[in-house]
Amino acid sequence: MPPVVFVLNGPNLNLLGLREPAIYGRETLADVAALCARTAQDVGLSVDFRQTNAEAELIGWVHEARARAAGIVINPAGYGHTSVALLDALSAFEGPVIEVHISQIHRREAFRHHTYVSHRADAVIAGCGVQGYALALVRLGTVLPSQGRGIAADTLPPS
Ligand code: CA2
């Protein structure tokens, strides 16, 4: 069985592709889910892809990941900028966490420049559009030990 990665999406990302294409592009969340499934298969992972508009549900999924997932890819959306509770939940997860933002948050309003999730994330990808999800999964295929088809962890330089 390939290692499972939870790909978690926060509030309003269900609107992806339906509004604000200049910022977030034209792909829908269903397109992103399909991209993640394809990429995960390529790198020897399995994905569990979810979206919620509720902070408590998102935190519950992070708790669930402690027992069920080898890694987490998370686009926390607005909760990244506001939620210490989400940061605390992620801090209790032992595997790798990659934070993804579709837009380049540092080139946008000042309130988007800081995210609490970044205090825990092992890597942050912003501004690559929805390709950021695929890049995150390729990275997890590399760093999750001996399971992916990526580069073996012991061949990588120390990080
Ligand atoms: O760039 C990202 O991925 C964000 O996480 C998206 C969040 C935003 O609050 C973050 O600052 C950056 C917003 C998600 C809502 O997505 C929409 C998509 C289409 C139409 C309206 C909202």
Side-chain angles (χ1 to χ4, degrees), residues 16-43:
L16 209 60
L18 309 178
R19 298 260 195 291
E20 304 203 60
I23 299 175
Y24 299 115
R26 296 201 175 276
E27 291 96 341
T28 65
L29 197 65
D31 295 330
V32 179
L35 170 67
C36 288
R38 281 198 308 275
T39 307
Q41 192 171 26
D42 286 348
V43 300

Side-chain angles (χ1 to χ4, degrees), residues 5 7 36 39-40 43 45 47 73 133-142:
V5 172
V7 180
C36 288
T39 307
V43 300
L45 300 172
V47 288
V73 174
Y133 289 83
L135 296 171
L137 289 167
V138 169
R139 176 68 181 162
L140 288 184
T142 299

Side-chain angles (χ1 to χ4, degrees), residues 9-21 23-25 27 74-81 99-105 108-109 111-115 125-127 129 133:
N9 293 278
N12 301 307
L13 285 164
N14 53 309
L15 299 176
L16 209 60
L18 309 178
R19 298 260 195 291
E20 304 203 60
I23 299 175
Y24 299 115
E27 291 96 341
I74 184 164
N75 183 344
Y79 291 141
H81 309 302
E99 178 181 4
V100 171
H101 295 279
I102 296 165
S103 63
Q104 213 297 51
I105 53 175
R108 299 183 63 191
E109 304 96 319
F111 64 83
R112 297 186 200 274
H113 297 178
H114 174 265
T115 90
I125 299 169
Y133 289 83

Side-chain angles (χ1 to χ4, degrees), residues 4-8 47-52 55-74 85-86 88-95 97:
V4 175
V5 172
F6 277 15
V7 180
L8 304 180
V47 288
D48 189 333
F49 188 95
R50 306 178 186 188
Q51 187 272 333
T52 180
E55 185 176 13
E57 188 167 38
L58 191 57
I59 289 168
W61 289 345
V62 173
H63 293 170
E64 185 185 336
R66 283 160 48 79
R68 296 203 40 235
I72 295 177
V73 174
I74 184 164
L86 179 59
D88 289 342
L90 286 164
S91 298
F93 178 75
E94 289 185 357
V97 174

